[in-house]
Amino acid sequence: MAYYRQVGTVPPKRHTQHRTDEGGLYYEELMGEEGFSSDSSLLYHRGLPSAIVDSQVWELPDQTTTPNHPLKPRHLKLHELFPKEVWAETDVVTGRRLILGNGDVRISYVVSTQDSPLYRNAVGDEIVYVESGQATVETVFGTLEAKPGDYVIIPTSTTHRWLPHGEGPLRAYAIEANSHVAPPKRYLSRYGQLLEHSPYCERDLHGPTELVHGEGTDVEVLVKHRAGGAIVGTRMVYPAHPFDVVGWDGCLYPYTFSIHDYEPITGRVHQPPPAHQVFEGNNFVVCNFVPRKVDYHPLSIPVPYYHSNVDSDEIMFYCGGDYEARKGSGIGQGSISVHPGGYAHGPQPGAYERSIGAEFFDELAVMVDTFRPLELGEGALACEDTNYAWTWAGRGPGGSQQ
């Protein structure tokens, strides 16, 4: 995100001396994307950011995936995955259960009241959507406050931890990319400013404003990274706490963006999913479906027309309101619908006709569209509604009524 910020103290000129009050040097670290060819920030540390004293294997949670074969749409009930008795034993990093994944993106879900360990994802950027609950996210760039409806965007290799607080658990929907994520290119000027037709602008992006300082020695950080073509984990131990930054500046940093600050694009007839797009990564996009006025042509049909995903899988996470197109299918808060490429899908029976004359939809959903097939993680297999695929026909295999 090419939008400059500065927090703390930095020298007037980059790559020059920045000294402590006692005369010692702070250590400058360039954190940049695509080598030295894209967005970056300069961070100034009290200690050497490269100093480690141990490195051991961190066994990741189950990352096994199963192909969606035979091909069919699926309904996943995420709220069944984390009973209340496990909330206090679960954190937002190590407690994630894999729902869907491919070589470009992995989608996980977690419910937690426990502080997470220090963590960084060296595979790609993370977009963590807060379904409910609140948390302070402490990062090497400073603190972020996350609330219901917030996307927390965390650049690759940003050391951070999640500290849930307030009433109720933190419910988090984690989208882990194998790439960087950014606003759609069509929303940006050639220099990176969000344009007038974009459904959000820089005022809606909330980066760190206060640094956080950690204490302690022999501090463990969990690192997710690539090795041998697989995604693996390592426990690195640092002689001093990595939250030792006295200042930074640049255009690369974590930030929050509220789904409630997204201004929906509407029209006289039904708008296609790209009108709802909010982010994009390599081979996937993220879209919002938010409360909005709907189509106002006198003959309009406000719910989506039936469509075939010839190039993509469509994953809809229902996180608020009342989604008109899915009534009668058992979809509710915390549901995911998986509509794969090669399958024509659309509104549930009755919803097409019933939507005529509607003026407003009160719905909230996060959609991920991928351009390679997604496979099912262990979390998906544990919470599937096996009757969903047959709800358009009213009967299942062999003629059984549903």
Side-chain angles (χ1 to χ4, degrees):
M1 184 63 205
Y3 178 37
Y4 176 84
R5 289 182 185 268
Q6 177 189 327
V7 177
T9 63
V10 300
K13 189 76 173 175
R14 61 184 176 177
H15 316 321
T16 60
Q17 298 173 32
H18 187 24
R19 292 191 176 273
T20 69
D21 293 340
E22 294 75 29
L25 281 172
Y26 292 119
Y27 298 95
E28 182 184 58
E29 175 196 6
L30 174 71
M31 184 171 170
E33 298 176 343
E34 300 176 13
F36 296 86
S37 303
S38 190
D39 296 347
S40 66
S41 286
L42 289 167
L43 300 92
Y44 295 86
H45 296 263
R46 292 186 178 88
L48 291 172
S50 53
I52 60 172
V53 295
D54 197 10
S55 181
Q56 302 290 336
V57 171
W58 165 37
E59 294 292 347
L60 296 179
D62 188 353
Q63 301 295 294
T64 305
T65 58
T66 303
N68 185 5
H69 185 236
L71 189 71
K72 64 177 182 178
R74 298 175 187 263
H75 171 205
L76 312 176
K77 298 182 176 181
L78 299 190
H79 285 188
E80 295 182 357
L81 291 176
F82 291 89
K84 187 174 182 178
E85 55 266 25
V86 306
W87 295 350
E89 305 166 6
T90 307
D91 71 76
V92 176
V93 171
T94 66
R96 297 177 186 180
R97 297 185 67 174
L98 182 63
I99 306 301
L100 298 157
N102 63 17
D104 304 308
V105 64
R106 293 163 310 287
I107 299 172
S108 301
Y109 188 71
V110 64
V111 183
S112 169
T113 59
Q114 181 66 256
D115 293 351
S116 83
L118 289 167
Y119 162 70
R120 68 171 172 267
N121 186 336
V123 178
D125 293 358
E126 292 193 357
I127 307 170
V128 182
Y129 178 78
V130 178
E131 179 190 1
S132 63
Q134 295 178 300
T136 299
V137 186
E138 294 184 340
T139 84
V140 70
F141 291 91
T143 58
L144 300 170
E145 293 299 325
K147 61 186 184 304
D150 277 353
Y151 290 101
V152 182
I153 293 83
I154 303 174
T156 307
S157 290
T158 298
T159 301
H160 67 282
R161 64 184 173 194
W162 289 79
L163 310 176
H165 59 79
E167 295 184 6
L170 181 68
R171 295 181 176 272
Y173 184 71
I175 303 166
E176 300 180 20
N178 280 18
S179 62
H180 303 302
V181 297
K185 293 182 179 64
R186 66 182 181 277
Y187 294 168
L188 301 172
S189 76
R190 57 180 168 169
Y191 300 114
Q193 183 178 6
L194 286 159
L195 295 168
E196 282 294 298
H197 69 271
S198 170
Y200 58 97
C201 73
E202 287 82 0
R203 296 182 191 179
D204 301 318
L205 310 180
H206 305 286
T209 58
E210 299 289 338
L211 296 169
V212 58
H213 300 294
E215 301 292 338
T217 58
D218 293 342
V219 179
E220 184 177 274
V221 178
L222 302 182
V223 183
K224 190 178 291 180
H225 60 100
R226 296 182 178 94
I231 295 175
V232 297
T234 292
R235 296 177 183 269
M236 285 188 172
V237 180
Y238 288 77
H241 204 290
F243 291 167
D244 67 346
V245 171
V246 299
W248 64 269
D249 75 334
C251 296
L252 181 69
Y253 46 83
Y255 63 92
T256 64
F257 168 69
S258 173
I259 196 171
H260 305 297
D261 285 333
Y262 184 89
E263 302 303 329
I265 298 169
T266 61
R268 291 186 74 215
V269 296
H270 192 82
Q271 299 299 294
H276 303 277
Q277 190 178 348
V278 59
F279 300 114
E280 63 186 13
N282 183 51
N283 283 333
F284 76 95
V285 300
V286 180
C287 299
N288 293 324
F289 290 82
V290 301
R292 64 195 182 279
K293 289 184 177 295
V294 291
D295 323 337
Y296 47 90
H297 187 284
L299 298 178
S300 68
I301 302 174
V303 296
Y305 37 79
Y306 292 86
H307 50 289
S308 296
N309 288 0
V310 297
D311 291 319
S312 62
D313 285 6
E314 179 187 288
I315 312 304
M316 192 79 79
F317 174 50
Y318 302 89
C319 44
D322 188 10
Y323 200 77
E324 291 290 334
R326 295 271 79 84
K327 285 182 177 178
S329 61
I331 296 286
Q333 178 88 19
S335 288
I336 282 183
S337 62
V338 179
H339 293 156
Y343 162 74
H345 70 276
Q348 286 290 315
Y352 203 56
E353 181 79 25
R354 189 171 56 241
S355 73
I356 294 174
E359 295 183 356
F360 186 84
F361 282 175
D362 183 17
E363 61 191 24
L364 200 65
V366 173
M367 185 177 80
V368 177
D369 269 13
T370 66
F371 299 106
R372 290 200 288 176
L374 286 161
E375 297 193 345
L376 305 165
E378 63 80 22
L381 298 176
C383 67
E384 183 178 5
D385 168 13
T386 56
N387 290 325
Y388 177 72
W390 331 119
T391 53
W392 286 267
R395 60 184 180 89
S400 59
Q401 295 297 312
Q402 300 297 312

